[in-house]
Amino acid sequence: MEGLVRYRNWLLLSAVVALVVCIPIAGRLTFDQTIESFFAPDNPDFKLLLKSRQDFGGDEFVIVAWQEPGLIRINPENEIPELSDAANRHIVELSERLSRLPGVDGARTRDLERFLKKSPYNRNTRQKMLNLFTGVLIGRDQESTAIVLQLLSAGNSPVSRGETVAAIRETAAATIPGAAVAGEAVQIQDMFNLVERDGNVLYIASLLVLSIMLLVIFRNLRWVLASVGIVIASVTLTRAILVIWGAQLSMVSSMLNSLVTVISIGTTTHIIVYYRELRATYDQHEATVRTLRELWHPVMWTVITIAVGFAALLVSDIVPVRSFAIMMTLGTLTVLIVSIAVLPATFASGQVPIPGRVRMEEPLDRLLDRMAHAIDRHPVGTTIWCLALTAVTGPGLFMMQVETDFSRNFRESSPIVQSLKFVESNLGPAGSWEVAFDVPDPITNEFLDSTRELTDRLQELSDEGVTLSVLSLNDGIDIPPRFGNALKRLTTFTNKQPDLVAGFYNPDRRRMRLVLHSTEQQPTHLKLAEIQRVREVVVNHFDKQHAIETERTHALLKDSQSTASVPPKESATATGLFVLMAHIIDSLLQDQIRSFIVASIGTVICMWIAFRSLRIGLISLVPNVFPIALVTGSLGLLNVPVNIGTAMIASVAMGFTASVHYVAVFQKSLPEVGVTRALQIAQSGVGVAVVLAHIALVAGFMVLTVSEFIPLVYFGALLSLSMIGGLISDLILLPLLLRWTTKDPTLARNDVPR
């Protein structure tokens, strides 16, 4: 440690040079705003989605809806329903403007005027067409209408998805003020926009809040500048390494800056408080050497334990979560390296003022001392209270619910939530997905009749309480006038409405689909049950059709002695962004359990190695697990659904307690003064630093609660609660466990006969 002090200025210079070099590199770190970044290439549902996009040209739709009083009028001469002049003008004007926007597939724009113009001008046909698009392009009250845009794939779009969505909103508002813009593509883009914006804003905000707190605590700008310098250097170096590595930020890893900030502040607060206590006895140089010598072990293992908690997220099946794990592991270790480079010069160079004390520290010292005495005098009672608290919240771990309503990721007042409410209240379900299947070659009347049966069966699910709207090619070919069989009507309908047919049937790839619309804003269990019920109906239908075809083929073989084989079973799938997004959080919940187990094992191993004792490793696990179990168990009991923010708390919170520091002081004092006195020394020696560090951590994480993206709010609030729970664990549960499991060496010496 003398070497670090001796070369402290060179170390500081190296850190400054590295920072200067990395600043322009770090600025090139980009944000991946594609939904593809969520999934591994071999994810089965994702592969089905990609196949569907190849078959039907995409599944990213944007709904532009508005109130149109007098939308439909009845022609008094022939009683044929038609668009009013005002409605016709509004739809044509807006549809043309939207179709020309970069990133929009204008040839596939769907609106009432376009479809009605191509349909035969008679009453029955017009009424059937209006019925067909009720809930999609026209409201049941016939006072609302919509234009449905299909977006070009991200690879074929000349502009980013964010620019396209922004242009759609701007064009819609300029043409028809108050028009609602909704759809999964809009929700996803809004999510990316909020996360990217809040990630940068909250980084500055958390840094500012923590700087003010440090200034209040230590009462000197030197310590604030040192801590902030470590934060900025750690964040910049981490981002630069990610750029060199070729990584991109994602929705999850957008918290990188804020998390590295609170880790840096938590680490430096411990070290500065320890240095301050030594300065009461030693001069500047000696206090610096002793601080580095005595803290390198607990600080290093604390940082490693935090890094292990983040690394545990590598077991996730979701790609952004795995990237986040790597980024945060790297960022956490960078904090350790930068601290080594900056703090020696901060402590030992120039005339260094002793860090100040806040007024609360003296009463805090007395409180901690009384806590140590209370734990020593009433260990059984304290244990019972901890066990009772665990017993109350423990069952909640098995009652956790998954939040798949993607709109719940946004505040109620946000434009996307208000647009969804308008669409689903005035038109119909806004969630879009599909059932796709192979088509025989050549396509037959029997097959088209079977798809009508499937459509009818899916529509009948509404009688079972399933909120589902189904659109199929059969709905189009069944519109009057009905001349000929289904196959002939398909040919006629294709000639009249080729763009509409292309959305349902691709003859070149021999694929067909039914488009399903489900309510986006509905409880989790209903959404997952709906997906499962649809899949059951589809499987049963095609099982039945395959049995019929097999029987028919066998009969033909018997009659004609033909060598034809049984036709292959159709590959029917239910997929779409609605399905994928519904299962992301479900996967995160499973990831939480796995990552929590991995993080727990990693914590035990780290503490085992750090103190060369499996007993200490197991004991240290409890203060890390207890607050997490307390918080997540409470979520289950309170029926708070798990979203993408809460699902990562378990592994992220591991290691944020001060177990390493506490155990290190306890182990150092134990041989000389015994268990009781060693606990008192640890409580008074580490307690103040623990409390101040946790206050800093909670303040830093609470900044996240002002975000407009609800998962960030949950993440900040619940992780803050975990920190408070961790503080209780460190100051009550950990000393209790050490007292119960540690043999007092002074008692053994007193028993030795003289």
Side-chain angles (χ1 to χ4, degrees):
M1 297 305 157
E2 285 281 358
L4 290 177
V5 177
R6 184 180 307 114
Y7 297 107
R8 61 187 182 277
N9 293 328
W10 289 107
L11 289 172
L12 180 61
L13 180 62
S14 300
V16 172
V17 171
L19 176 62
V20 172
V21 171
C22 289
I23 285 176
I25 301 175
R28 298 203 299 268
L29 185 62
T30 56
F31 191 89
D32 188 351
Q33 294 193 2
T34 61
I35 192 61
E36 288 80 4
S37 67
F38 277 79
F39 309 101
D42 59 349
N43 181 290
D45 285 332
F46 182 55
K47 291 169 71 174
L48 291 175
L49 180 65
L50 293 181
K51 177 174 172 52
S52 174
R53 289 177 175 177
Q54 293 174 349
D55 293 338
F56 303 105
D59 64 334
E60 293 182 272
F61 300 102
V62 176
I63 303 169
V64 180
W66 68 95
Q67 284 287 140
E68 185 69 53
L71 174 65
I72 301 296
R73 69 173 186 176
I74 304 298
N75 191 314
E77 297 180 0
N78 47 30
E79 298 184 350
I80 296 177
E82 58 188 20
L83 292 173
S84 67
D85 293 339
N88 193 84
R89 184 174 63 255
H90 290 160
I91 293 173
V92 170
E93 181 182 3
L94 182 55
S95 182
E96 289 179 352
R97 289 185 177 183
L98 293 173
S99 297
R100 290 195 297 267
L101 294 177
V104 174
D105 188 349
R108 298 197 176 203
T109 297
R110 298 162 173 82
D111 62 71
L112 276 179
E113 189 275 338
R114 183 175 303 196
F115 289 135
L116 292 179
K117 183 172 63 176
K118 294 181 180 180
S119 66
Y121 190 68
N122 64 69
R123 184 171 57 186
N124 289 338
T125 301
R126 280 295 177 93
Q127 194 58 57
K128 283 290 186 180
M129 286 291 286
L130 291 175
N131 292 341
L132 174 63
F133 293 113
T134 297
V136 180
L137 299 180
I138 182 173
R140 297 190 183 279
D141 60 358
Q142 297 195 342
E143 293 287 324
S144 305
T145 188
I147 297 171
V148 177
L149 307 174
Q150 183 164 324
L151 304 183
L152 295 170
S153 65
N156 294 327
S157 177
V159 297
S160 69
R161 184 68 79 241
E163 292 174 288
T164 300
V165 171
I168 291 173
R169 278 186 165 139
E170 182 180 347
T171 302
T175 308
I176 301 178
V181 179
E184 274 102 353
V186 181
Q187 290 187 71
I188 292 168
Q189 189 56 51
D190 279 3
M191 172 192 69
F192 285 130
N193 291 342
L194 284 178
V195 168
E196 183 176 20
R197 186 198 69 187
D198 287 358
N200 295 326
V201 172
L202 295 178
Y203 164 55
I204 303 299
S206 61
L207 192 58
L208 180 61
V209 168
L210 290 169
S211 299
I212 293 172
M213 289 198 62
L214 290 177
L215 188 59
V216 171
I217 292 172
F218 299 123
R219 300 184 182 182
N220 191 277
L221 196 58
R222 182 187 187 99
W223 309 110
V224 176
L225 293 176
S227 300
V228 171
I230 291 174
V231 169
I232 294 174
S234 299
V235 170
T236 304
L237 265 61
T238 301
R239 292 173 65 94
I241 294 172
L242 293 176
V243 171
I244 296 171
W245 175 36
Q248 288 182 295
L249 290 179
S250 67
M251 182 194 73
V252 180
S253 55
S254 63
M255 323 179 215
L256 172 71
N257 294 351
S258 296
L259 286 175
V260 171
T261 298
V262 295
I263 293 169
S264 301
I265 297 298
T267 301
T268 55
T269 301
H270 269 286
I271 299 173
I272 293 172
V273 169
Y274 197 89
Y275 170 81
R276 183 189 67 186
E277 301 306 314
L278 289 177
R279 279 297 305 270
T281 306
Y282 303 101
D283 63 21
Q284 183 176 325
H285 178 84
E286 184 64 20
T288 302
V289 173
R290 284 179 173 269
T291 298
L292 297 176
R293 182 186 299 127
E294 295 172 12
L295 284 189
W296 76 268
H297 182 270
V299 168
M300 180 186 71
W301 283 106
T302 296
V303 171
I304 290 175
T305 304
I306 295 174
V308 167
F310 285 118
L313 292 170
L314 287 169
V315 302
S316 173
D317 291 328
I318 298 177
V319 175
V321 175
R322 294 204 298 268
S323 299
F324 173 72
I326 296 173
M327 292 177 183
M328 283 309 307
T329 302
L330 175 63
T332 304
L333 296 176
T334 302
V335 169
L336 179 62
I337 296 172
V338 173
S339 297
I340 293 173
V342 173
L343 288 179
T346 304
F347 292 156
S349 295
Q351 296 298 317
V352 181
I354 299 177
R357 301 174 69 94
V358 291
R359 294 179 180 178
M360 62 175 286
E361 290 193 43
E362 290 187 6
L364 180 60
D365 283 332
R366 293 194 294 269
L367 175 61
L368 293 172
D369 188 59
R370 285 197 295 268
M371 287 176 59
H373 284 291
I375 294 170
D376 186 60
R377 289 195 301 268
H378 308 289
V380 176
T382 308
T383 303
I384 292 174
W385 273 105
C386 292
L387 291 176
L389 197 56
T390 304
V392 169
T393 57
L397 294 171
F398 305 98
M399 300 165 59
M400 297 183 69
Q401 301 180 31
V402 181
E403 178 60 82
T404 58
D405 183 349
F406 201 72
S407 67
R408 296 291 181 90
N409 288 327
F410 307 93
R411 293 191 184 274
E412 192 71 15
S413 59
S414 64
I416 184 61
V417 172
Q418 294 302 310
S419 294
L420 278 172
K421 282 186 174 182
F422 177 86
V423 170
E424 296 194 334
S425 298
N426 295 275
L427 288 168
S432 179
W433 49 307
E434 68 185 43
V435 171
F437 41 87
D438 288 342
V439 176
D441 187 15
I443 192 170
T444 63
N445 287 310
E446 291 78 11
F447 183 82
L448 289 175
D449 290 339
S450 75
T451 60
R452 163 52 66 194
E453 292 178 16
L454 177 59
T455 302
D456 292 341
R457 181 67 191 96
L458 290 173
Q459 289 174 334
E460 289 171 2
L461 290 178
S462 59
D463 297 333
E464 302 176 16
V466 176
T467 306
L468 186 69
S469 172
V470 185
L471 285 175
S472 78
L473 190 58
N474 295 82
D475 295 317
I477 64 178
D478 287 346
I479 293 176
R482 298 180 56 177
F483 299 119
N485 57 31
L487 197 55
K488 290 182 179 179
R489 295 200 305 273
L490 172 60
T491 302
T492 302
F493 191 65
T494 302
N495 292 332
K496 292 181 178 179
Q497 302 276 4
D499 51 341
L500 180 59
V501 173
F504 293 92
Y505 175 42
N506 186 333
D508 296 330
R509 299 181 69 90
R510 316 308 305 172
R511 292 285 285 178
M512 186 177 289
R513 69 174 172 179
L514 312 181
V515 177
L516 312 180
H517 292 282
S518 297
T519 303
E520 187 68 46
Q521 295 183 300
Q522 62 174 319
T524 298
H525 66 281
L526 293 180
K527 188 177 291 187
L528 294 176
E530 181 177 314
I531 293 171
Q532 181 61 31
R533 190 71 186 95
V534 167
R535 285 177 166 171
E536 290 173 357
V537 169
V538 171
V539 169
N540 291 337
H541 173 81
F542 282 99
D543 280 345
K544 177 182 176 181
Q545 293 302 313
H546 185 253
I548 293 173
E549 290 296 327
T550 301
E551 184 177 347
R552 182 181 299 154
T553 301
H554 286 164
L556 291 173
L557 287 171
K558 183 177 180 180
D559 293 341
S560 63
Q561 302 298 317
S562 171
T563 59
S565 60
V566 176
K569 189 173 182 178
E570 287 81 7
S571 55
T573 59
T575 186
L577 286 176
F578 179 84
V579 177
L580 282 174
M581 299 312 294
H583 283 92
I584 278 185
I585 310 301
D586 192 32
S587 176
L588 275 174
L589 182 59
Q590 301 302 318
D591 290 345
Q592 176 175 345
I593 297 172
R594 287 185 294 170
S595 62
F596 178 68
I597 293 172
V598 172
S600 299
I601 295 173
T603 298
V604 172
I605 293 174
C606 286
M607 297 295 287
W608 185 1
I609 296 173
F611 295 100
R612 300 178 184 178
S613 169
L614 179 58
R615 176 181 65 86
I616 295 297
L618 294 172
I619 288 174
S620 301
L621 177 63
V622 178
N624 286 278
V625 171
F626 178 75
I628 298 169
L630 206 64
V631 172
T632 54
S634 298
L635 292 179
L637 291 175
L638 297 173
N639 294 321
V640 177
V642 175
N643 59 30
I644 199 168
T646 57
M648 295 190 301
I649 285 176
S651 54
V652 171
M654 295 293 286
F656 272 107
T657 64
S659 303
V660 181
H661 293 274
Y662 198 104
V663 173
V665 175
F666 173 78
Q667 291 283 76
K668 179 181 177 182
S669 306
L670 179 64
E672 297 296 328
V673 299
V675 173
T676 299
R677 181 57 184 155
L679 287 175
Q680 293 173 354
I681 293 173
Q683 196 85 336
S684 61
V686 179
V688 173
V690 170
V691 172
L692 295 179
H694 275 68
I695 290 174
L697 288 172
V698 169
F701 283 124
M702 285 300 290
V703 172
L704 298 176
T705 61
V706 302
S707 172
E708 290 188 38
F709 189 54
I710 299 302
L712 277 181
V713 175
Y714 274 63
F715 184 82
L718 295 176
L719 201 51
S720 296
L721 290 177
S722 295
M723 295 300 100
I724 296 172
L727 181 61
I728 296 172
S729 295
D730 284 333
L731 301 179
I732 296 178
L733 198 55
L734 182 57
L736 190 65
L737 291 169
L738 291 172
R739 185 189 186 283
W740 281 116
T741 61
T742 305
K743 184 177 180 181
D744 195 329
T746 60
L747 296 179
R749 288 200 301 268
N750 293 336
D751 291 340
V752 176
R754 297 185 180 178

